[in-house]
Amino acid sequence: MLESRLIVEGGRKIEGEIRVQGAKNSSLPLLAASFLSGGTSVIHNCPALSDAYAACRILSSLGCKCKREQHSVIVDSSDADGFAVSDGLMREMRSSIVFLGAILGRTKRCRLSFPGGCELGPRPIDLHLEALKKLGVRIIEDHGVLDCTCGQRPARCDITLSLPSVGATENIMLYSALGSGETVIYNAAREPEITDLGGYINKCGGDIRGLGSSTVVINGVPELHGCEYTVMPDRIVAATYMGAAAATGGELVLSGVCPQDMYSCMSIFSEMGCGVYPYTDKIFINAKKSLSAVRTIRTMPYPGFPTDCQPIVMAVLCRANGSSMIVENIFENRFMAADELRRMGADIKTEGRVAVIEGVNKLLGAKLRAADLRAGAALIVAALGAEGTSVISNVRYIDRGYENIEDELSAVGARIKRI
Ligand code: UD1
């Protein structure tokens, strides 16, 4: 099969309004949680992305009835009793590991293959497994397969995460939501997507408190039911479009967003010299002045600067006046956009977890390869602000996180098409 490419003609201002899609990183755990609920859920604002389709295939393989009507996914898990996820389905998306807690919580047994590494480097799940063991789950690892069965769950279980892992927090919440016993997670992830997952489980009849704080308390309930729920907006997609406006000297209104989830990103764009104005569910950004370098950016767990926005901001900083530094603290292999940006004329030096970006006057269009989802999005941002035409390959990575990115950007004045 021939792979599609994106052809981007740079140098055109982005101007207009974009309605931001639902969050990928929230919709996947929500879909997993719909298996746990044991009823029918209608999940609105679920982005039409390959990972969300893969999650639905996993749900169907477990015996759920799963149907999509535009951006709403209807999952009926009342008769589902599957407990094994095939290796093929597990490999379709790395975040399939979030099914572990949901399946165990519902069927008390789970077999799935180890998710392995990904483009960002090793993606260990030791914290997920340690926590589940503490909750009484017996886990046998054999040739890359995890075979888990539930034993006696303690009446109260305190889990202190050595780092606030998003996935581990989600799996512990999912596993502990149904049944008896109280689970307290210390140093829990505080990401808005965690609050969204907890919001869904609570709407299904669950009892989870402390969402958004670093201590999350889950009281197991004897049963859950389905509900109707709307996935939160995708803050990384919103930041990507902010990057597109900044890189092209344009102005955008992003609608359907939660500005309060995006302060760390908004403040970086303001520091670059953009006008950034949050309203209730909108962000207005303009980039009338030339951009300036920023103080050191350090990626951190929420509410710090998100690692997923780092490549996008790097792409914008390539043309800012002065030199900027980025320290990547979350994933070790997350400067993959840098090599491609250099092909466009960017001056970026990386060493270990540090990147130094010396702003240049212009970037030139080039043949580029998306190395992962956000690195790919960063290349689009850079190409929109570059002189000449860029051809971006490996678009399938970008498609994992962005719904019709070329249509969204074309509608606000970009010259971008898929071939
Ligand atoms: C989620 C997001 C991803 C985002 C990341 C950090 C989804 C589908 N993905 O990924 O887009 O970049 O949060 O905001 O929601 N770690 C361990 N052991 C573990 C678990 C994690 O060492 O058991 C390490 C990881 O290697 C990484 C760090 O902890 O260095 C953060 O990982 P984690 O928060 O778990 O990220 P994900 O849930 O995988």
Side-chain angles (χ1 to χ4, degrees):
M1 197 175 73
L2 277 179
E3 263 245 44
S4 51
R5 281 153 205 255
L6 289 173
I7 314 291
V8 185
E9 250 180 65
R12 291 173 64 93
K13 276 190 184 163
I14 299 284
E15 276 166 337
E17 178 164 348
I18 298 182
R19 187 164 186 91
V20 173
Q21 68 187 58
K24 169 180 89 77
N25 286 354
S26 185
S27 56
L28 303 177
L30 277 177
L31 288 168
S34 70
F35 177 73
L36 188 68
S37 77
T40 299
S41 286
V42 184
I43 301 172
H44 300 294
N45 205 28
C46 188
L49 299 169
S50 51
D51 280 7
Y53 288 109
C56 288
R57 279 195 290 280
I58 294 180
L59 287 169
S60 303
S61 80
L62 293 169
C64 300
K65 293 186 198 79
C66 210
K67 183 165 85 173
R68 181 181 271 276
E69 285 172 4
Q70 281 141 12
H71 285 96
S72 299
V73 176
I74 302 140
V75 185
D76 175 1
S77 63
S78 17
D79 300 323
D81 57 0
F83 65 87
V85 184
S86 74
D87 188 48
L89 283 171
M90 281 303 286
R91 280 178 195 273
E92 280 193 39
M93 59 164 187
R94 199 256 163 211
S95 37
S96 47
I97 192 61
V98 84
F99 274 89
L100 177 60
I103 297 175
L104 273 176
R106 171 88 188 267
T107 60
K108 310 294 169 215
R109 193 171 169 202
C110 179
R111 192 168 61 227
L112 42 74
S113 51
F114 218 81
C118 75
E119 310 82 43
L120 304 179
R123 301 278 293 256
I125 52 163
D126 52 314
L127 301 176
H128 306 225
L129 301 184
E130 250 172 58
L132 291 172
K133 281 180 190 160
K134 219 173 162 198
L135 283 160
V137 178
R138 284 186 297 271
I139 302 173
I140 298 169
E141 284 179 55
D142 185 26
H143 292 88
V145 174
L146 290 168
D147 209 328
C148 311
T149 36
C150 297
Q152 184 64 35
R153 191 145 121 201
R156 159 140 183 167
C157 184
D158 288 349
I159 294 167
T160 304
L161 294 176
S162 55
L163 49 90
S165 156
V166 174
T169 304
E170 289 168 346
N171 259 329
I172 301 166
M173 282 165 57
L174 286 162
Y175 178 57
S176 306
L178 195 58
S180 59
E182 183 186 60
T183 305
V184 184
I185 315 174
Y186 297 101
N187 198 25
R190 298 167 59 193
E191 267 67 5
E193 291 77 12
I194 299 282
T195 308
D196 214 26
L197 172 63
Y200 168 78
I201 296 175
N202 285 344
K203 209 169 172 200
C204 291
D207 179 2
I208 305 184
R209 297 171 203 190
L211 294 162
S213 80
S214 51
T215 306
V216 172
V217 181
I218 308 123
N219 273 301
V221 295
E223 62 177 16
L224 293 167
H225 50 76
C227 76
E228 198 163 337
Y229 198 80
T230 301
V231 175
M232 63 173 277
D234 197 311
R235 57 198 174 100
I236 314 298
V237 169
T240 307
Y241 292 137
M242 289 174 83
T248 62
E251 57 182 39
L252 266 187
V253 176
L254 296 165
S255 57
V257 294
C258 274
Q260 69 271 24
D261 293 343
M262 296 188 58
Y263 279 114
S264 60
C265 266
M266 289 193 297
S267 70
I268 295 289
F269 283 108
S270 303
E271 205 181 324
M272 284 185 211
C274 298
V276 181
Y277 308 97
Y279 299 93
T280 324
D281 62 348
K282 284 187 168 56
I283 297 174
F284 174 77
I285 178 166
N286 69 36
K288 292 208 180 100
K289 294 189 276 184
S290 62
L291 301 175
S292 359
V294 294
R295 282 168 298 171
T296 306
I297 298 175
R298 292 170 208 279
T299 63
M300 295 285 200
Y302 187 85
F305 185 82
T307 172
D308 288 15
C309 291
Q310 177 267 105
I312 289 140
V313 163
M314 174 186 273
V316 181
L317 289 172
C318 289
R319 283 179 48 239
N321 294 318
S323 76
S324 309
M325 184 155 89
I326 298 179
V327 183
E328 172 56 58
N329 291 310
I330 309 292
F331 290 111
E332 57 192 64
N333 203 9
R334 200 144 207 187
F335 287 139
M336 284 192 294
D339 283 342
E340 303 296 304
L341 293 169
R342 278 189 213 106
R343 297 177 132 219
M344 306 177 81
D347 180 351
I348 306 173
K349 291 182 188 64
T350 56
E351 198 170 317
R353 291 181 177 265
V354 178
V356 177
I357 304 126
E358 206 67 60
V360 294
N361 281 337
K362 62 178 178 188
L363 294 179
L364 297 172
K367 276 194 168 172
L368 307 165
R369 251 173 97 87
D372 70 53
L373 164 57
R374 305 303 171 189
L379 298 182
I380 296 183
V381 167
L384 290 170
E387 274 180 24
T389 304
S390 297
V391 180
I392 303 175
S393 60
N394 269 3
V395 182
R396 63 179 187 283
Y397 283 128
I398 303 171
D399 290 338
R400 293 178 80 157
Y402 296 83
E403 238 187 287
N404 307 323
I405 192 163
E406 68 275 24
D407 295 342
E408 296 289 2
L409 288 168
S410 300
V412 290
R415 285 243 167 96
I416 172 168
K417 66 174 184 215
R418 185 181 290 251
I419 53 159

